[in-house]
Amino acid sequence: MHHRPADRAAATTAVVGLLATLTACAPTVPVQVAPYATDPVCASVVLALPESLGEGLDRLDTDAQATTAWGAPRAAVVLRCGVEPLGPTTDRCESVTTPRGPTVDWVVVEDDGDWTFTTYGRVPAVELHVPREVAATRATSFVDLLGPGVALTVQERECL
């Protein structure tokens, strides 16, 4: 049986159209890659993170290495591994113990309703951005769910 070029072209167009439709259903969150995202530990951290941070905060795809996001694409909670480690700071530092044990220190900064949590004393450093749209409707207690993944980084210092 011989296929005509027109038949092959039509089949190829149909497959491309189907793939475009499928990828359109799964929006990708644009994220700026962190300067040290290529640290191999970051891959382990991202793979160990939960699929959900609670109702309405399911995991989303991102377009940058060593990142992930949860929630709605336009107002996503975004995690980046490999950010610049923090030096000594007077910003609020919180020790968060996870449900399964590890404790992670986070420097917490609020800016116009947006919250940024950055690990303190860990290399590579990890940053979690919680947009005001999420922070206004729920507590940020889900940060403890990140502990098992984030604890894969090396702790060099802790909050005082």
Side-chain angles (χ1 to χ4, degrees):
M1 174 183 220
H2 292 13
H3 294 289
R4 297 183 314 210
D7 291 341
R8 274 188 246 135
T12 301
T13 301
V15 169
V16 169
L18 177 61
L19 289 174
T21 301
L22 291 175
T23 56
C25 295
T28 299
V29 177
V31 178
Q32 182 177 355
V33 68
Y36 306 107
T38 57
D39 187 314
V41 173
C42 284
S44 298
V45 168
V46 171
L47 289 172
L49 295 171
E51 289 299 314
S52 175
L53 297 179
E55 187 176 331
L57 292 177
D58 293 331
R59 199 160 176 172
L60 301 167
D61 290 330
T62 59
D63 65 357
Q65 181 177 353
T67 65
T68 195
W70 297 268
R74 293 198 195 308
V77 173
V78 175
L79 181 138
R80 299 186 316 144
C81 183
V83 297
E84 187 71 41
L86 297 174
T89 180
T90 57
D91 288 328
R92 186 171 107 204
C93 192
E94 298 283 334
S95 295
V96 178
T97 302
T98 68
R100 289 177 274 189
T103 297
V104 175
D105 292 341
W106 297 91
V107 172
V108 183
V109 176
E110 188 266 338
D111 181 25
D112 196 30
D114 291 340
W115 290 85
T116 301
F117 297 78
T118 307
T119 55
Y120 181 76
R122 291 190 171 268
V123 176
V126 175
E127 175 188 270
L128 181 75
H129 177 77
V130 181
R132 77 177 63 82
E133 295 87 347
V134 173
T137 61
R138 65 175 58 228
T140 56
S141 59
F142 54 75
V143 171
D144 68 348
L145 300 175
L146 306 175
V150 173
L152 296 173
T153 60
V154 176
Q155 183 175 3
E156 296 181 346
R157 296 184 315 276
E158 56 188 38
C159 291
L160 298 177

